[in-house]
Short mmCIF file of all heavy atoms in Angstrom, two decimals:
data_model
loop_
_atom_site.label_atom_id
_atom_site.label_comp_id
_atom_site.label_asym_id
_atom_site.label_seq_id
_atom_site.Cartn_x
_atom_site.Cartn_y
_atom_site.Cartn_z
N THR A 1 1.02 -15.26 -8.88
CA THR A 1 0.69 -16.69 -8.78
C THR A 1 1.48 -17.30 -7.64
O THR A 1 2.66 -17.03 -7.47
CB THR A 1 1.03 -17.41 -10.10
OG1 THR A 1 0.33 -16.76 -11.16
CG2 THR A 1 0.62 -18.86 -10.06
N GLU A 2 0.82 -18.13 -6.84
CA GLU A 2 1.48 -18.83 -5.74
C GLU A 2 1.26 -20.33 -5.87
O GLU A 2 0.28 -20.78 -6.49
CB GLU A 2 0.93 -18.36 -4.38
CG GLU A 2 1.36 -16.97 -4.01
CD GLU A 2 0.97 -16.60 -2.60
OE1 GLU A 2 0.40 -17.45 -1.87
OE2 GLU A 2 1.23 -15.45 -2.21
N LEU A 3 2.15 -21.08 -5.28
CA LEU A 3 2.07 -22.53 -5.28
C LEU A 3 1.76 -22.98 -3.86
O LEU A 3 2.48 -22.61 -2.93
CB LEU A 3 3.39 -23.13 -5.76
CG LEU A 3 3.40 -24.61 -6.09
CD1 LEU A 3 2.45 -24.91 -7.25
CD2 LEU A 3 4.80 -25.04 -6.47
N TYR A 4 0.68 -23.72 -3.66
CA TYR A 4 0.31 -24.19 -2.33
C TYR A 4 -0.06 -25.65 -2.43
O TYR A 4 -1.00 -26.04 -3.14
CB TYR A 4 -0.86 -23.37 -1.79
CG TYR A 4 -1.33 -23.81 -0.42
CD1 TYR A 4 -0.56 -23.55 0.71
CD2 TYR A 4 -2.52 -24.49 -0.26
CE1 TYR A 4 -0.97 -23.95 1.96
CE2 TYR A 4 -2.95 -24.90 1.00
CZ TYR A 4 -2.17 -24.63 2.10
OH TYR A 4 -2.57 -25.03 3.35
N ARG A 5 0.68 -26.51 -1.72
CA ARG A 5 0.46 -27.96 -1.72
C ARG A 5 0.36 -28.52 -3.14
O ARG A 5 -0.53 -29.31 -3.46
CB ARG A 5 -0.78 -28.32 -0.91
CG ARG A 5 -0.61 -28.01 0.55
CD ARG A 5 -1.74 -28.56 1.36
NE ARG A 5 -1.51 -28.31 2.77
CZ ARG A 5 -2.29 -28.74 3.73
NH1 ARG A 5 -3.36 -29.43 3.45
NH2 ARG A 5 -2.00 -28.47 4.98
N GLY A 6 1.25 -28.06 -3.97
CA GLY A 6 1.32 -28.58 -5.34
C GLY A 6 0.34 -27.96 -6.31
O GLY A 6 0.39 -28.23 -7.50
N ALA A 7 -0.58 -27.16 -5.82
CA ALA A 7 -1.56 -26.52 -6.70
C ALA A 7 -1.20 -25.05 -6.88
O ALA A 7 -0.83 -24.36 -5.94
CB ALA A 7 -2.97 -26.64 -6.10
N GLU A 8 -1.31 -24.59 -8.10
CA GLU A 8 -1.02 -23.20 -8.42
C GLU A 8 -2.32 -22.39 -8.39
O GLU A 8 -3.33 -22.83 -8.91
CB GLU A 8 -0.40 -23.14 -9.82
CG GLU A 8 0.37 -21.89 -10.10
CD GLU A 8 1.11 -21.96 -11.42
OE1 GLU A 8 0.49 -21.56 -12.42
OE2 GLU A 8 2.26 -22.41 -11.45
N TYR A 9 -2.27 -21.24 -7.76
CA TYR A 9 -3.46 -20.39 -7.76
C TYR A 9 -3.04 -18.92 -7.86
O TYR A 9 -1.93 -18.55 -7.51
CB TYR A 9 -4.35 -20.63 -6.54
CG TYR A 9 -3.74 -20.28 -5.22
CD1 TYR A 9 -4.03 -19.06 -4.60
CD2 TYR A 9 -2.87 -21.15 -4.57
CE1 TYR A 9 -3.47 -18.73 -3.39
CE2 TYR A 9 -2.31 -20.82 -3.35
CZ TYR A 9 -2.62 -19.62 -2.77
OH TYR A 9 -2.05 -19.29 -1.56
N VAL A 10 -3.96 -18.10 -8.34
CA VAL A 10 -3.68 -16.69 -8.56
C VAL A 10 -4.19 -15.87 -7.37
O VAL A 10 -5.33 -16.05 -6.94
CB VAL A 10 -4.36 -16.18 -9.86
CG1 VAL A 10 -4.13 -14.69 -10.03
CG2 VAL A 10 -3.82 -16.95 -11.05
N VAL A 11 -3.34 -15.01 -6.84
CA VAL A 11 -3.72 -14.09 -5.78
C VAL A 11 -3.97 -12.74 -6.45
O VAL A 11 -3.05 -12.04 -6.83
CB VAL A 11 -2.61 -13.97 -4.71
CG1 VAL A 11 -3.00 -12.96 -3.65
CG2 VAL A 11 -2.30 -15.32 -4.10
N ASP A 12 -5.25 -12.42 -6.66
CA ASP A 12 -5.62 -11.18 -7.35
C ASP A 12 -5.47 -9.96 -6.45
O ASP A 12 -5.02 -8.91 -6.88
CB ASP A 12 -7.07 -11.24 -7.84
CG ASP A 12 -7.24 -12.19 -9.00
OD1 ASP A 12 -6.28 -12.40 -9.75
OD2 ASP A 12 -8.35 -12.73 -9.15
N PHE A 13 -5.90 -10.08 -5.21
CA PHE A 13 -5.90 -8.95 -4.30
C PHE A 13 -4.73 -9.07 -3.34
O PHE A 13 -4.65 -10.02 -2.58
CB PHE A 13 -7.22 -8.86 -3.54
CG PHE A 13 -8.39 -8.59 -4.45
CD1 PHE A 13 -9.23 -9.61 -4.85
CD2 PHE A 13 -8.62 -7.31 -4.92
CE1 PHE A 13 -10.29 -9.37 -5.71
CE2 PHE A 13 -9.68 -7.04 -5.77
CZ PHE A 13 -10.51 -8.07 -6.16
N LEU A 14 -3.86 -8.08 -3.38
CA LEU A 14 -2.67 -8.10 -2.54
C LEU A 14 -2.91 -7.30 -1.26
O LEU A 14 -3.63 -6.30 -1.27
CB LEU A 14 -1.50 -7.48 -3.32
CG LEU A 14 -1.17 -8.19 -4.63
CD1 LEU A 14 -0.12 -7.39 -5.40
CD2 LEU A 14 -0.68 -9.59 -4.37
N PRO A 15 -2.30 -7.72 -0.14
CA PRO A 15 -2.48 -6.98 1.10
C PRO A 15 -1.83 -5.61 1.02
O PRO A 15 -0.70 -5.47 0.54
CB PRO A 15 -1.81 -7.86 2.15
CG PRO A 15 -0.89 -8.74 1.39
CD PRO A 15 -1.45 -8.88 0.01
N LYS A 16 -2.54 -4.61 1.49
CA LYS A 16 -2.05 -3.23 1.51
C LYS A 16 -2.46 -2.59 2.84
O LYS A 16 -3.27 -3.14 3.58
CB LYS A 16 -2.67 -2.40 0.37
CG LYS A 16 -2.40 -2.94 -1.03
CD LYS A 16 -0.99 -2.69 -1.45
CE LYS A 16 -0.80 -3.16 -2.89
NZ LYS A 16 0.53 -2.87 -3.37
N ILE A 17 -1.91 -1.42 3.10
CA ILE A 17 -2.29 -0.62 4.26
C ILE A 17 -2.90 0.67 3.75
O ILE A 17 -2.34 1.32 2.86
CB ILE A 17 -1.07 -0.29 5.15
CG1 ILE A 17 -0.48 -1.56 5.77
CG2 ILE A 17 -1.44 0.73 6.23
CD1 ILE A 17 -1.36 -2.24 6.79
N LYS A 18 -4.05 1.04 4.31
CA LYS A 18 -4.67 2.33 3.99
C LYS A 18 -4.46 3.24 5.20
O LYS A 18 -4.89 2.92 6.31
CB LYS A 18 -6.15 2.17 3.70
CG LYS A 18 -6.85 3.47 3.36
CD LYS A 18 -8.31 3.20 3.08
CE LYS A 18 -9.08 4.47 2.77
NZ LYS A 18 -10.50 4.18 2.55
N LEU A 19 -3.79 4.35 4.97
CA LEU A 19 -3.47 5.30 6.01
C LEU A 19 -4.31 6.56 5.77
O LEU A 19 -4.38 7.03 4.64
CB LEU A 19 -1.98 5.62 5.93
CG LEU A 19 -1.43 6.63 6.89
CD1 LEU A 19 -0.17 6.07 7.50
CD2 LEU A 19 -1.15 7.92 6.18
N GLU A 20 -4.95 7.07 6.80
CA GLU A 20 -5.78 8.26 6.68
C GLU A 20 -5.32 9.31 7.69
O GLU A 20 -5.11 8.99 8.86
CB GLU A 20 -7.25 7.93 6.93
CG GLU A 20 -7.80 6.93 5.93
CD GLU A 20 -9.19 6.46 6.29
OE1 GLU A 20 -9.28 5.52 7.10
OE2 GLU A 20 -10.16 7.04 5.77
N VAL A 21 -5.15 10.55 7.20
CA VAL A 21 -4.68 11.64 8.04
C VAL A 21 -5.50 12.89 7.71
O VAL A 21 -5.70 13.19 6.53
CB VAL A 21 -3.19 11.95 7.79
CG1 VAL A 21 -2.69 13.03 8.71
CG2 VAL A 21 -2.34 10.71 7.93
N ALA A 22 -5.94 13.61 8.72
CA ALA A 22 -6.62 14.89 8.52
C ALA A 22 -5.63 16.00 8.87
O ALA A 22 -5.06 15.99 9.96
CB ALA A 22 -7.86 14.99 9.40
N VAL A 23 -5.43 16.92 7.92
CA VAL A 23 -4.44 17.98 8.13
C VAL A 23 -4.98 19.33 7.65
O VAL A 23 -5.88 19.38 6.81
CB VAL A 23 -3.10 17.69 7.42
CG1 VAL A 23 -2.47 16.43 7.96
CG2 VAL A 23 -3.27 17.60 5.93
N SER A 24 -4.38 20.40 8.15
CA SER A 24 -4.73 21.73 7.66
C SER A 24 -4.13 21.92 6.27
O SER A 24 -3.16 21.24 5.90
CB SER A 24 -4.23 22.80 8.62
OG SER A 24 -2.83 22.71 8.75
N ASP A 25 -4.70 22.84 5.52
CA ASP A 25 -4.28 23.04 4.12
C ASP A 25 -2.79 23.33 3.99
O ASP A 25 -2.16 22.92 3.02
CB ASP A 25 -5.08 24.18 3.49
CG ASP A 25 -6.54 23.81 3.26
OD1 ASP A 25 -6.84 22.60 3.21
OD2 ASP A 25 -7.36 24.73 3.14
N ASP A 26 -2.20 24.03 4.97
CA ASP A 26 -0.79 24.38 4.86
C ASP A 26 0.16 23.19 5.04
O ASP A 26 1.34 23.28 4.70
CB ASP A 26 -0.43 25.51 5.85
CG ASP A 26 -0.70 25.12 7.29
OD1 ASP A 26 -1.72 24.46 7.56
OD2 ASP A 26 0.12 25.49 8.15
N LEU A 27 -0.33 22.07 5.56
CA LEU A 27 0.52 20.88 5.76
C LEU A 27 0.37 19.84 4.66
O LEU A 27 1.11 18.85 4.65
CB LEU A 27 0.20 20.22 7.10
CG LEU A 27 0.65 20.96 8.35
CD1 LEU A 27 0.16 20.22 9.59
CD2 LEU A 27 2.16 21.07 8.37
N VAL A 28 -0.55 20.03 3.73
CA VAL A 28 -0.85 19.00 2.73
C VAL A 28 0.39 18.58 1.95
O VAL A 28 0.70 17.39 1.84
CB VAL A 28 -1.98 19.47 1.78
CG1 VAL A 28 -2.13 18.52 0.61
CG2 VAL A 28 -3.29 19.57 2.54
N GLU A 29 1.12 19.54 1.40
CA GLU A 29 2.29 19.20 0.58
C GLU A 29 3.37 18.50 1.39
O GLU A 29 4.01 17.57 0.90
CB GLU A 29 2.85 20.44 -0.12
CG GLU A 29 1.96 20.97 -1.22
CD GLU A 29 1.67 19.95 -2.32
OE1 GLU A 29 2.58 19.21 -2.73
OE2 GLU A 29 0.50 19.88 -2.76
N LYS A 30 3.59 18.94 2.64
CA LYS A 30 4.59 18.29 3.49
C LYS A 30 4.21 16.84 3.77
O LYS A 30 5.06 15.95 3.76
CB LYS A 30 4.75 19.06 4.80
CG LYS A 30 5.47 20.37 4.66
CD LYS A 30 5.47 21.16 5.96
CE LYS A 30 6.50 20.62 6.91
NZ LYS A 30 6.65 21.47 8.11
N VAL A 31 2.93 16.60 4.02
CA VAL A 31 2.46 15.24 4.30
C VAL A 31 2.59 14.36 3.06
O VAL A 31 3.08 13.23 3.14
CB VAL A 31 1.00 15.25 4.83
CG1 VAL A 31 0.44 13.85 4.89
CG2 VAL A 31 0.95 15.91 6.20
N ILE A 32 2.20 14.88 1.91
CA ILE A 32 2.31 14.12 0.67
C ILE A 32 3.77 13.75 0.41
O ILE A 32 4.08 12.59 0.09
CB ILE A 32 1.73 14.91 -0.52
CG1 ILE A 32 0.22 15.02 -0.39
CG2 ILE A 32 2.10 14.27 -1.85
CD1 ILE A 32 -0.42 15.98 -1.38
N ASP A 33 4.66 14.72 0.54
CA ASP A 33 6.09 14.46 0.32
C ASP A 33 6.64 13.43 1.29
O ASP A 33 7.39 12.52 0.91
CB ASP A 33 6.90 15.75 0.42
CG ASP A 33 6.62 16.70 -0.73
OD1 ASP A 33 6.09 16.26 -1.78
OD2 ASP A 33 6.94 17.91 -0.59
N ALA A 34 6.27 13.54 2.56
CA ALA A 34 6.74 12.60 3.58
C ALA A 34 6.28 11.18 3.29
O ALA A 34 7.06 10.22 3.36
CB ALA A 34 6.28 13.04 4.97
N ILE A 35 5.00 11.02 2.93
CA ILE A 35 4.47 9.69 2.63
C ILE A 35 5.13 9.14 1.38
O ILE A 35 5.58 7.98 1.35
CB ILE A 35 2.93 9.73 2.45
CG1 ILE A 35 2.24 10.07 3.77
CG2 ILE A 35 2.42 8.39 1.90
CD1 ILE A 35 0.76 10.35 3.64
N ALA A 36 5.22 9.95 0.33
CA ALA A 36 5.79 9.47 -0.94
C ALA A 36 7.24 9.03 -0.77
O ALA A 36 7.64 7.98 -1.29
CB ALA A 36 5.69 10.56 -2.00
N GLN A 37 8.03 9.79 -0.04
CA GLN A 37 9.44 9.43 0.14
C GLN A 37 9.59 8.19 1.02
O GLN A 37 10.38 7.30 0.72
CB GLN A 37 10.21 10.59 0.75
CG GLN A 37 10.42 11.72 -0.24
CD GLN A 37 11.12 12.92 0.38
OE1 GLN A 37 11.48 12.91 1.56
NE2 GLN A 37 11.28 13.97 -0.41
N ALA A 38 8.83 8.11 2.10
CA ALA A 38 8.95 6.98 3.03
C ALA A 38 8.39 5.68 2.47
O ALA A 38 8.89 4.60 2.76
CB ALA A 38 8.27 7.31 4.36
N ALA A 39 7.35 5.77 1.63
CA ALA A 39 6.69 4.56 1.11
C ALA A 39 7.32 4.04 -0.17
O ALA A 39 7.05 2.92 -0.59
CB ALA A 39 5.21 4.84 0.88
N SER A 40 8.18 4.83 -0.77
CA SER A 40 8.73 4.46 -2.08
C SER A 40 9.74 3.31 -2.00
O SER A 40 10.62 3.30 -1.14
CB SER A 40 9.42 5.67 -2.71
OG SER A 40 10.00 5.32 -3.94
N THR A 41 9.57 2.36 -2.90
CA THR A 41 10.57 1.29 -3.08
C THR A 41 11.18 1.38 -4.47
O THR A 41 12.14 0.69 -4.76
CB THR A 41 9.94 -0.11 -2.92
OG1 THR A 41 8.98 -0.32 -3.97
CG2 THR A 41 9.27 -0.29 -1.58
N GLY A 42 10.57 2.20 -5.32
CA GLY A 42 11.04 2.32 -6.69
C GLY A 42 10.51 1.24 -7.61
O GLY A 42 10.88 1.16 -8.77
#
């Protein structure tokens, strides 16, 4: 929920980034691990 000019409204859809990568089968686990570790905030 956000407050704008005294009015409260709900923001249902949050901004995100969609990242797409094409890799060979042998790199899949390395790429998944790299993305998961770098993108994690906990």
Side-chain angles (χ1 to χ4, degrees):
T1 303
E2 289 188 2
L3 192 62
Y4 179 73
R5 294 189 176 184
E8 201 173 89
Y9 65 98
V10 176
V11 177
D12 289 332
F13 296 100
L14 301 173
K16 302 286 184 177
I17 295 292
K18 180 179 178 182
L19 178 133
E20 299 172 276
V21 183
V23 298
S24 60
D25 290 339
D26 60 320
L27 288 176
V28 170
E29 289 302 319
K30 288 174 78 173
V31 170
I32 291 170
D33 291 342
I35 293 171
Q37 288 176 2
S40 178
T41 64

